[in-house]
Amino acid sequence: ANAGREGASLQFRVGDVVRHRKFSYRGVIFGWHPRCQKPLEWCRQMGVDHDQPFYLVLPDERDCMQLFGAYRADKYVAESNLVLADQRRIVHRELPR
């Protein structure tokens, strides 16, 4: 995964705190790919376009427990499903407290 913005047209960068448009969980971006690295079938199932940036996100543990009922180590999210979050504090075991 890339760690900056080199050569790509990205809406977000590593360190940005974002919110998922559909599921509303918050997280912090820790990497990205210029195009989806999952199979086309995965993108169809997720209802997203394959040909856009995808971000590696550390999701807030509180949001994951509330929405999914369990911890999620990370999420792979299409750029079209992300917006900048209003709240900046994310709780995740890989982040400093």
Side-chain angles (χ1 to χ4, degrees):
N2 295 305
R5 282 191 151 155
E6 317 80 48
S9 176
L10 300 173
Q11 285 187 339
F12 309 103
R13 66 178 188 263
V14 170
D16 280 351
V17 176
V18 293
R19 183 179 52 78
H20 193 283
R21 287 181 191 271
K22 292 181 187 175
F23 300 111
S24 295
Y25 63 81
R26 294 157 299 135
V28 63
I29 293 173
F30 71 94
W32 58 274
H33 297 122
R35 294 187 61 206
C36 186
Q37 302 297 299
K38 303 259 187 187
L40 281 171
E41 182 57 32
W42 181 87
C43 285
R44 282 190 210 102
Q45 289 175 352
M46 296 296 124
V48 294
D49 179 22
H50 190 264
D51 194 19
Q52 64 177 315
F54 274 71
Y55 296 87
L56 299 147
V57 177
L58 295 175
D60 186 275
E61 292 181 9
R62 299 163 299 184
D63 293 349
C64 286
M65 291 304 291
Q66 184 176 1
L67 292 164
F68 310 120
Y71 165 78
R72 298 288 191 267
D74 56 56
K75 302 294 279 177
Y76 195 56
V77 189
E79 185 172 81
S80 60
N81 277 336
L82 293 174
V83 295
L84 283 174
D86 294 331
Q87 186 178 344
R88 312 303 286 169
R89 188 174 186 303
I90 299 300
V91 174
H92 190 282
R93 57 194 72 187
E94 298 298 324
L95 295 173
R97 299 247 175 234

